[in-house]
Amino acid sequence: RRIMSVSAFLTHFEELGIAAIANDITEIRLLQQDLVKAKEQAEQSSRAKSEFLSRMSHEMRTPMNAIIGMASIARQADNLEKKNYCLNKIDDASTHLLGVINDILDMSKIEASKFELSTTDFVFEKMLMRIVNVVNFRVDEKNQNLLINLDPNVPYSVVADEQRLAQVIANLLSNAVKFTPEKGTVTLDVNLLEQEGELLTLKIDVTDTGIGITEEQKERLFEPFEQADGGIARKFGGTGLGLSISRSIVEMMDGEIWAENAEPQGSRFSFTVKMLKGRHLPNELHKNIDWSTVRILAVDDAPEVLEYFQEFADSVGLDCTVAKDGFEACEILKNNQGNPFNVIFTDWRMEGMDGIELTRRIKTDFDAKLVVIMISAARWSDIKDDAEAAGVDKFLAKPLFSSQILDCITEGLSSRHLKNEPDEKAEDETDRFKGYRLLVAEDVDINREILEALLEHTGVEMHFAENGQQAFDLFRQNPRFYDMIFMDIHMPEIDGYEATRLIRKLDLHEAQNIPIVAMTANVFKEDVERCLAAGMDDHVGKPVNIAEVIEKMDRYLRGHL
């Protein structure tokens, strides 16, 4: 029995050894599988980065080729039309190139963990308007419909990083426009998902009627250095960084982002973000107007636009009638002559009878004083002459925003005819800053030349300093002469930071109060903060956006904003 026990023990020990060896083999195999998987992931990442570098070379060289080539053609062109054509192409290529550079810089900051948010209190609808101004040209170029649906429960102003939130929305809208065919529809929906006290959760959807996305593409869309597939990259271009950067921004705002196919066609990109309710309050409805008696007629062949007008009218409490084309509008006007409309909104591009012909008939067959407002995604300059000749009183760009519609109606109900009513937004910028003196510290000749040419029509008197020391000396010699300073940062002698500190140290009232705005290619958050810490009041990035420059001059010279 003792021998049997020893034998059983040895058998049992042998079984344990075999089991241990089997476990070791299993672990080794699992480890090998992990190593193979890690190797494949590393190779895939390496391939993605190589493809990305190749794509970046293409994305940067293509617009550079256009810029250099069109500049050469423009120099040889002997007529103004061809020169303007070249300049427009250079402008498009330059904007594209700047976008590529910005994407690369943002991705570099994300990978270095230096990507930060900077919150401000801003008006949400105005941010959307600025984004729309950027994408509207492409929308009109492809004859698409761009619709904006802003939940009325979304507060008038919010506290968040306006620039980064706008960057995400603009990226999604630009992609939707890019991947949607001509005459397609792109829709932006903004909804208040949840509110706990001052904390808001917004859900933003961008839906298109474009090419859609596959399940495999969904998994790769938000990865850095990736695009849906190589064919899309070749056909549509792009850095492949926009969605990855957008995901980083959304996650920093305590949200999430995802993509799905839309019914019956296209795709929908959605994201949520958290922010605080702002303190700015909207302008109240004009109290001298009895809005319950106001009647408007909206004419458009897009059902979504007519639905938007009706929802807007319901929210304000005014009477809105809609017509799907010019013929129906004329019939409605004919049947309502005893109860006339106050304002008519008509689309420009409609089948059968366009908005210009409809306006002409309204003015001749019904009432020459009836206010007609033309709405279109086209640029006003493209249709201005024909529209004004027909009697159009005002132009309203698509997509529509409730505040703009309200402004148009308020102006239309004023005592004066709209055509003679001053429009502050459309104010002629000629001599806008006449009588003001501007000191510009900039060491690069071409930058001085560009700024001088861009601001020439505003009437501002400009004086230039070629380095920081000269800027300081000019101000110290005549501190009451200048009304505002634009200060470059990287300059010889002394830089913009030191020049600003020297000015602020002067024991003069003017030195403490003159507005100093940085004008520099240093555009990161820490760069802006360093400018403010040196004593500057604001910041403008290079390449210079003239609209932003004029906005700063408005703010600090005329106090409009």
Side-chain angles (χ1 to χ4, degrees), residues 280-291:
H280 296 302
L281 296 176
N283 297 325
E284 295 183 358
L285 294 177
H286 201 294
K287 294 180 179 178
N288 294 330
I289 296 174
D290 183 1
W291 290 94

Side-chain angles (χ1 to χ4, degrees), residues 41 43-49 51-52 55 107 217 219-230 233 238-244:
Q41 288 176 341
E43 289 174 348
Q44 182 180 348
S45 177
S46 177
R47 281 195 303 271
K49 289 192 176 184
E51 290 171 5
F52 167 75
R55 198 160 61 241
M107 200 66 226
Q217 289 168 352
E219 297 177 4
R220 303 171 56 191
L221 279 173
F222 299 100
E223 294 301 318
F225 314 114
E226 295 279 5
Q227 285 190 323
D229 61 52
T239 63
L241 294 178
L243 289 176
S244 176

Side-chain angles (χ1 to χ4, degrees), residues 247-308:
R247 183 181 68 175
S248 297
I249 293 171
V250 167
E251 288 175 350
M252 291 177 75
M253 292 184 171
D254 296 324
E256 57 179 331
I257 186 169
W258 67 95
E260 57 192 352
N261 283 314
E263 295 296 336
Q265 175 187 351
S267 58
R268 179 180 296 108
F269 284 76
S270 306
F271 69 95
T272 60
V273 283
K274 293 186 184 296
M275 58 190 66
L276 296 175
K277 184 178 180 180
R279 300 299 178 195
H280 296 302
L281 296 176
N283 297 325
E284 295 183 358
L285 294 177
H286 201 294
K287 294 180 179 178
N288 294 330
I289 296 174
D290 183 1
W291 290 94
S292 63
T293 65
V294 175
R295 300 190 72 216
I296 67 171
L297 173 62
V299 189
D300 201 302
D301 54 1
E304 303 92 344
V305 175
L306 300 182
E307 184 180 347
Y308 183 89

Side-chain angles (χ1 to χ4, degrees), residues 548-560:
E548 185 181 7
V549 172
I550 288 176
E551 180 205 355
K552 302 301 183 188
M553 292 171 69
D554 258 333
R555 177 177 300 172
Y556 295 107
L557 291 179
R558 307 200 325 173
H560 276 187

Side-chain angles (χ1 to χ4, degrees), residues 75 314 551:
R75 278 194 295 269
D314 290 341
E551 180 205 355

Side-chain angles (χ1 to χ4, degrees), residues 20 25 58 76 79 94 106 189 265 286 320 327 346 376 381 401 431 455 475 488 519 537:
I25 292 172
H58 175 268
Q76 299 171 20
N79 66 80
S94 301
D106 280 346
D189 293 288
Q265 175 187 351
H286 201 294
C320 176
F327 301 105
T346 178
S376 176
S381 58
F401 291 92
D431 294 337
L455 292 178
F475 178 81
D488 187 26
M519 184 176 281
D537 299 279

